[in-house]
Amino acid sequence: MSRPDSAETERLLRDLEQRVQQYPFRTVRITGSRDELLGLFLLSKDVRLAEGELQTALAGVIRREPAAAETGGAWSAGEIEGGNLEEVLASQIEHTRQTRLPCALILLETDAPAGAPAGMPAAIVDLVRAAVRRSDILLRCDAGRLAVILPSISLREATECAERIRSVLARELRLGEDDAPAVTASIGIGLCYASDRISAETFAARVAQELERARQQGGNRVCRVIDSRAESSCQVSVEERTELFSIFLKDRHS
Amino acid sequence: MNGGSARIICISSGKGGVGKTSLSVNLAAALARKGRKVLLIDGDLGLANVDVLLGLTVSRTLRRTIEEGLDPAALLVEVFPELQVLPASSGVPEMASLSAQEQAVLGAALEPLLDRFDFVLVDTAAGLGESVLWFNDWARENIVIVSPDPTSLTDAYALIKVLRGRYAKERFHLLINNAKTRREADETFATMRSVLTRFLKIEPHRLGEVPQDAAVARAVRLQKPFLLAEPECRAGKAVAAIAAGLLGGS
């Protein structure tokens, strides 16, 4: 089957827009920079939104494409500068629920020397970018933090990735003579499973706690959210074993 | 994901040596004999045995799909027209723990195959490795095999607990294997049910039981399903009944 061209796609969307009118949905057009119809946003008429809320919801799907001059053409697919962490993370958590593959979040903060300009230095972003996969998403956050969202990854791989970032930064950011790091990085890491029912805000807050823990321990460390569901609550307890073995105990006593 | 009509059933046990592969092979053969198109995937990616129990000669395995992107349709081995096998490798430890990327590759590669079959059975490895968990999560239905001994019960329970905790799985078929008597099978199921309902709030489905039978070991040595080697044996009749039960629930 041949792939439909953009005119066919637009006809299909307009047809769909007409048909949706029979149902209790409102449609909002998603258009490109040349006003071409790219898609439709369907919203149940049962959902009551205050003035301005729809625009707020749609703001999450607007993605600024950085100009080549601004970035030097260095930003590859999947990297977003200045994106909203919670919005991008919420999208990845939804992806995790659909694919059943966990996603990870790494938060990185540096302790720059006194007098250094605020924000995450470009050199550090470049080093982090080189240490992650092309499919991972980099975001500059507030307070000079850098976030890396790693879709479809196991806890082991995500931890290895965080450790790779830590060791690259420790190796590359040295002050020459005394071999002391010019910048120390603190890293927090967490994993979200498909079965986790947490919001992006909660997930980000948990990882931020680990980042803070790493920072308080003196930097140049990776601290990981201990996943109680994966590691602790799945342990078979003494009570469970006792009940499982009850049939064999009867044999022993008889 | 897995949106086709095939019933995708993962067969696991936690503990090794409880008869997963033997029951998988025989259940696949029983469903195929009832006219259903069956795909049996050897999900023990590092220490495969399905080909051994079926006496198959295998030159290419799922490793080629995972490492080279080879279409799994090219790997299918026909046992008889209704039963095809996707073989795996033996002696390849790295296959036992697939990375998330490899899991994604495997899942995407298998999807187009599913519509060609009525049943897709996955015989997993023992243990709680990433590949085992991934196949269990990928499948829509989960059969957990338990034999009447404390280690089997503990490991089967641990597997179910992990699948519930990490993947939110809540529906399990229990298959009791190697029970000496009907009463022993009843007690084994009752114990598992009691612990699962009390601690995990899971109500398991009793799929059936396969009794201890010397015909099973004889068929292994012949590299044939016991269902075909000795159709009138007790284990063979039990597996045929389980297959009928699965068809009744479709």
Side-chain angles (χ1 to χ4, degrees), chain A residues 98-101 133 152-154 157 193 195 229 233-236 239-241 243-245 247-248 250, chain B residues 1 99-101 103 137 148-150 153-154 157-158 161-162 165-168 191-192 194-195 198-199:
Chain A
Q98 287 170 7
T99 61
R100 317 295 299 170
L101 294 169
R133 307 168 305 175
S152 306
I153 197 160
S154 67
E157 291 172 311
Y193 291 100
S195 55
R229 289 155 70 86
S233 69
C234 291
Q235 171 84 39
V236 178
E239 292 79 12
E240 290 166 325
R241 273 176 187 254
E243 190 154 335
L244 280 169
F245 297 169
I247 52 170
F248 307 107
K250 274 191 298 183
Chain B
M1 217 179 165
S99 69
Q101 290 300 315
Q103 291 165 2
D137 188 32
D149 79 71
L153 260 67
T154 307
Y157 179 77
K161 192 169 183 181
V162 170
R166 279 180 62 166
Y167 304 101
T191 303
M192 280 297 286
S194 165
V195 187
R198 181 177 164 202
F199 293 99

Side-chain angles (χ1 to χ4, degrees), chain A residues 89 92-93 96 101-105 149-153 190-192 203:
Chain A
L89 200 53
Q92 283 305 320
I93 289 173
T96 287
L101 294 169
C103 70
L105 171 65
I149 299 173
L150 306 98
S152 306
I153 197 160
L191 205 75
C192 178
F203 183 31

Side-chain angles (χ1 to χ4, degrees), chain B:
Chain B
M1 217 179 165
N2 308 343
S5 57
R7 286 181 68 181
I8 304 164
I9 304 175
C10 190
I11 301 168
S12 296
S13 62
K15 185 181 181 300
V18 297
K20 268 187 312 295
T21 306
S22 174
L23 288 181
S24 298
V25 162
N26 280 278
L27 192 54
L31 290 165
R33 279 183 64 185
K34 289 178 186 294
R36 300 305 191 275
K37 289 181 185 148
V38 181
L39 170 63
L40 176 57
I41 299 175
D42 196 333
D44 193 347
L45 300 175
L47 277 174
N49 274 150
V50 166
D51 55 327
V52 177
L53 286 192
L54 285 168
L56 303 174
T57 303
V58 167
S59 55
R60 296 184 296 185
T61 70
L62 272 170
R63 185 183 182 188
R64 298 277 301 270
T65 297
I66 293 161
E67 293 185 347
E68 300 166 29
L70 187 70
D71 183 351
L75 306 173
L76 291 175
V77 180
E78 184 177 300
V79 182
F80 42 90
E82 292 81 20
L83 175 57
Q84 313 247 348
V85 168
L86 253 182
S89 313
S90 197
V92 188
E94 59 269 30
M95 285 289 104
S97 187
L98 296 180
S99 69
Q101 290 300 315
E102 289 167 333
Q103 291 165 2
V105 166
L106 182 58
L110 292 175
E111 290 291 325
L113 267 186
L114 305 179
D115 284 342
R116 292 163 53 173
F117 297 94
D118 300 310
F119 282 86
V120 175
L121 305 187
V122 184
D123 169 41
T124 71
L128 291 174
E130 286 298 323
S131 304
V132 174
L133 297 178
W134 182 80
F135 273 122
N136 270 284
D137 188 32
W138 180 72
R140 284 182 182 165
E141 296 175 65
N142 303 78
I143 295 177
V144 177
I145 297 175
V146 192
S147 60
D149 79 71
T151 52
S152 171
L153 260 67
T154 307
D155 292 358
Y157 179 77
L159 172 71
I160 292 172
K161 192 169 183 181
V162 170
L163 290 174
R164 186 184 183 280
R166 279 180 62 166
Y167 304 101
K169 291 268 179 183
E170 293 181 305
R171 297 174 65 185
F172 295 90
H173 303 289
L174 287 188
L175 200 167
I176 316 299
N177 190 32
N178 219 19
K180 289 193 207 75
T181 61
R182 174 67 188 238
R183 186 179 166 195
E184 191 176 53
D186 290 346
E187 286 179 349
T188 303
F189 178 78
T191 303
M192 280 297 286
R193 181 181 174 274
S194 165
V195 187
L196 287 169
T197 51
R198 181 177 164 202
F199 293 99
L200 301 184
K201 310 287 179 258
I202 286 174
E203 183 64 57
H205 168 244
R206 183 171 179 168
L207 188 61
E209 52 279 326
V210 179
Q212 224 171 47
D213 189 341
V216 174
R218 287 197 296 271
V220 170
R221 285 193 288 274
L222 289 173
Q223 292 184 271
K224 278 187 174 178
F226 53 77
L227 188 84
L228 304 183
E230 300 186 40
E232 292 305 311
C233 71
R234 291 187 337 148
K237 286 179 179 172
V239 169
I242 289 166
L246 275 176
L247 289 172
S250 57

